[in-house]
Amino acid sequence: MNIQNKIIDNLPLGYAYCQLIYGNNKPVDYIFVEVNEAFNKYFEIEKSIVGESFLNIVDEDINKKQEWLNLCFDVVLNNKTVDIEEYTELLNKKFRMRLHACGDKHFITYFFDITKEQTQINNLLLEQRLKNTENELANFFNVNLDLFCIANSSGELLKVNQSWNRIMGYELSDLVGKKLFDFIHPEDIEKTNKIFEKSQNEEILSFVNRYKTITGDYIYLEWHSYPYGDNIFASARDVTKRISLENSLNVEKERLNATLFSVGEAVIGIDKDGIIYLFNDEAERILGYHHNEVIGKKINDFVKIYKENNNDECIDFVNKVLNKGKILKNKEEIYLVNKNNKRVPIQLKGNPIKNNMGAVLVISDYSESKQKILEINRLSFYDHLTGVYNRRYYETMVNKFDKEAQYPLALIMIDVDNLKMTNDAFGHIEGDKLLIKVASILKKYITKDDILARIGGDEFVYLIPNTSLDKVQRLIKKIENKVERESNKTNIISFSIGSAIKYNKNQKMEDVFKEAEDMMYKNKINETTNLKKRTIDVIMTSLFEKSKREMLHSARVSLISEKIAKEMGLPKEQIKNIRTAALMHDIGKISISEEVLNKEGKLTESEYEEIKTHSEIGYRILSSVSEFSNIAVVVLQHHEKMDGTGYPSRLKGSAISLDARIIAVADAYDAMTADRSYRKAMTKEAAISELIKCTGTHFDKDVVDAFIKTLK
């Protein structure tokens, strides 16, 4: 062995002299010509590899081997030197290598094991990185806005960051060694303990509890803790404002829910896809579904809306609200069909939520309101007293009847003759009864095609289409016969009738109306006087039936008045009128209640005021008959006094008719000399003395003198 070989063999680095193997004029492998001991040691080779090819002895991955061969070929073919560092996974070593070309077929490689060196360098780098990371974490730990801490398994604080001072107010040195549970609100300790008891090792725990600050106040902290080994790593964030806001929102939510579930409308909340998330009690009532049946489902599967006049058309109201993004209301009558297949008239309003978040539908059950409107419409067309149609309906329908298809069209007018006198004599309640009776008679003779309407206080009208004059006359006769049968001595029903017929469109309806009206008034004139006389007889009969005392009183006053008139030498015709007026002087008392009229005892002030109305009522009753117009004035004045303190007009002296002055004396004398429940009758002498005493103030002196003479 020469010196060169000794030197190479004892080198501390691996050495190999290699020769390329060619195939098809290209290098395909190489053989080891010479290697030293260090090479064998580095690559853990136990036998000589001189003369062996690289591909036969190296077990590396074929791709790795090909990469190495390509590098070797490149060094030789380009006559260059290359330094590289390479890690061999097979030996788990890292080498620093140099490849050097030696001619056109040979190259030398030197290998130096740098595994240990690299490990040392890596350890130094890792240590530096760990130190840097620790510094970074320390900085992060202290500058973080959240509360950070490390505690042992007993909950004692080992380390805390600066936020504990900033948020909680504590000095950091005062916290170390203290237990986390020392700061928890007493009401939250049990809850926090349970959370830790349920946790598993190395499981992140999230919870919220209240912590005491340096001032003694409590704030809400949201915790994230991580048990690792014997320690607990935790961070916490002050969420007091958030909790307060959440509580406020919950209160508002409760208020809103309480409002939505107590309103009288159905409220349905939907998201942008039409999915129901709110369904209040009224919605359950109207639609028939329980909220559990509909929450989370498509609204169109449960709310189907139709037009009132088109049962087949389902309105896509929900999508209109969602797509248009503005408040919509139904403008026409609509209804929905509920779970029980019942039609429910509704009013509907859709209010979209901003930012395409859905909508709120408000549904009002319109059933009752609609029924009320129908009832109002019905009432607006009906006379509430008699139940027949009213003037408004008549005026609406007369134009509809005035068509070629309805001719001949008859119009019959009826006027209740004695309504005013009945109202004056018996009161409006009895007048209403009379109108109801008349209407009931007239209703018996209408068909489904006819119209009967009350168009005035005492006027009714028939509209009868497709008729004839003969039919109209026969109908009028039937009505008159019925009225005659219904009337009696104490219950007189009478009305005047007129009729006209429209035969063609050339006739104006106004002219037809006037023709019927003129005929009615003509008939009324012929019947009225006789009717009113009969009515007055009925009134007097009714009055005397109510009070026998009034009958006897009226008869005596009439007799006394006649004697006074004769004593004063008045004409026979005037004496006759005085006698009649005296008999009827209290006819107005027919309107006074029977309880007041026959009261045993003194009248109260209000009862006396009621009694005082009888002279005016009597005047209105009698003045309606022209034959009794003079008598009516006498009846009106018979309670006037000479000094103007009487009633109703407070007339004085000669302004009071002589006939009334005569009746006043006769009325007063009879009243004083007749027994009353509250006093005994006065003697004639006492009564005469009272008349003389009141002469000139209450009574006419000439009349009193004449009366006294009649007694002698």
Side-chain angles (χ1 to χ4, degrees), residues 171-189:
E171 293 296 330
L172 304 189
S173 58
D174 295 337
L175 291 170
V176 175
K178 297 285 178 63
K179 288 193 175 185
L180 285 166
F181 278 78
D182 292 342
F183 303 94
I184 298 176
H185 192 287
E187 294 177 2
D188 294 344
I189 290 176

Side-chain angles (χ1 to χ4, degrees), residues 310-344:
N310 190 342
N311 295 345
D312 298 328
E313 184 176 353
C314 188
I315 304 170
D316 194 4
F317 187 86
V318 174
N319 283 333
K320 286 181 180 178
V321 174
L322 293 174
N323 295 334
K324 291 189 177 182
K326 61 181 182 180
I327 296 174
L328 294 179
K329 298 179 181 178
N330 62 295
K331 295 181 180 178
E332 53 195 338
E333 290 192 11
I334 58 175
Y335 69 92
L336 60 79
V337 178
N338 67 13
K339 181 180 179 180
N340 301 317
N341 208 32
K342 178 184 175 183
R343 285 174 50 136
V344 182

Side-chain angles (χ1 to χ4, degrees), residues 62-276:
I62 187 66
N63 292 324
K64 294 286 287 183
K65 288 192 287 187
Q66 191 60 51
E67 286 179 12
W68 173 254
L69 283 173
N70 289 339
L71 178 62
C72 295
F73 298 157
D74 180 61
V75 167
V76 173
L77 295 176
N78 292 297
N79 193 27
K80 62 182 182 180
T81 299
V82 175
D83 291 322
I84 63 169
E85 288 184 359
E86 186 73 24
Y87 171 76
T88 170
E89 189 174 351
L90 187 65
L91 300 173
N92 192 26
K93 292 180 180 180
K94 189 170 185 179
F95 296 97
R96 184 178 292 121
M97 297 175 286
R98 170 171 285 186
L99 284 79
H100 177 68
C102 299
D104 57 350
K105 290 185 178 180
H106 296 86
F107 67 92
I108 296 172
T109 63
Y110 301 100
F111 296 85
F112 183 73
D113 186 354
I114 61 171
T115 305
K116 186 176 180 180
E117 175 189 339
Q118 191 66 47
T119 300
Q120 290 174 342
I121 292 171
N122 289 342
N123 287 339
L124 287 172
L125 291 173
L126 179 60
E127 185 178 342
Q128 184 61 45
R129 281 199 297 271
L130 287 172
K131 188 173 182 180
N132 292 341
T133 301
E134 185 177 345
N135 289 335
E136 289 172 359
L137 287 173
N139 290 333
F140 176 77
F141 191 80
N142 284 314
V143 302
N144 202 287
L145 295 176
D146 290 337
L147 299 166
F148 275 25
C149 67
I150 301 172
N152 61 24
S153 57
S154 299
E156 292 180 0
L157 290 167
L158 304 177
K159 189 173 183 179
V160 295
N161 69 346
Q162 292 291 337
S163 292
W164 283 78
N165 175 262
R166 181 177 55 81
I167 296 173
M168 308 292 287
Y170 296 107
E171 293 296 330
L172 304 189
S173 58
D174 295 337
L175 291 170
V176 175
K178 297 285 178 63
K179 288 193 175 185
L180 285 166
F181 278 78
D182 292 342
F183 303 94
I184 298 176
H185 192 287
E187 294 177 2
D188 294 344
I189 290 176
E190 185 179 355
K191 176 183 71 173
T192 307
N193 265 325
K194 287 181 178 179
I195 292 171
F196 277 98
E197 288 171 4
K198 290 180 180 179
S199 68
Q200 300 295 322
N201 195 31
E202 298 187 10
E203 178 186 351
I204 295 176
L205 301 176
S206 299
F207 55 93
V208 174
N209 59 17
R210 287 168 288 178
Y211 257 61
K212 187 195 295 184
T213 66
I214 191 70
T215 63
D217 297 325
Y218 285 90
I219 63 172
Y220 283 91
L221 295 180
E222 182 177 42
W223 288 91
H224 295 280
S225 68
Y226 180 68
Y228 184 75
D230 294 331
N231 293 332
I232 299 171
F233 297 83
S235 68
R237 179 167 295 174
D238 183 358
V239 292
T240 305
K241 289 183 178 179
R242 191 192 80 191
I243 296 295
S244 177
L245 181 60
E246 286 175 355
N247 289 338
S248 297
L249 289 174
N250 286 334
V251 170
E252 289 303 314
K253 184 178 179 181
E254 288 299 318
R255 287 175 180 168
L256 178 60
N257 282 339
T259 302
L260 293 178
F261 280 84
S262 62
V263 294
E265 288 83 22
V267 180
I268 304 174
I270 58 172
D271 65 15
K272 62 184 178 63
D273 298 316
I275 303 299
I276 299 171

Side-chain angles (χ1 to χ4, degrees), residues 549 556 669-683:
R549 186 178 68 190
R556 289 194 298 267
Y669 177 79
D670 186 72
M672 288 187 285
T673 55
D675 283 332
R676 291 288 187 268
S677 59
Y678 57 90
R679 64 162 175 82
K680 286 286 186 180
M682 295 172 65
T683 63

Side-chain angles (χ1 to χ4, degrees), residues 638-692:
H638 79 275
H639 279 293
E640 300 287 356
K641 296 178 181 179
M642 296 299 289
D643 61 359
T645 59
Y647 64 86
S649 304
R650 302 178 71 86
L651 298 177
K652 277 186 177 183
S654 60
I656 307 168
S657 69
L658 178 59
D659 297 7
R661 283 178 269 160
I662 291 171
I663 294 173
V665 172
D667 185 36
Y669 177 79
D670 186 72
M672 288 187 285
T673 55
D675 283 332
R676 291 288 187 268
S677 59
Y678 57 90
R679 64 162 175 82
K680 286 286 186 180
M682 295 172 65
T683 63
K684 289 183 181 181
E685 292 74 13
I688 292 170
S689 177
E690 188 67 23
L691 289 174
I692 294 171

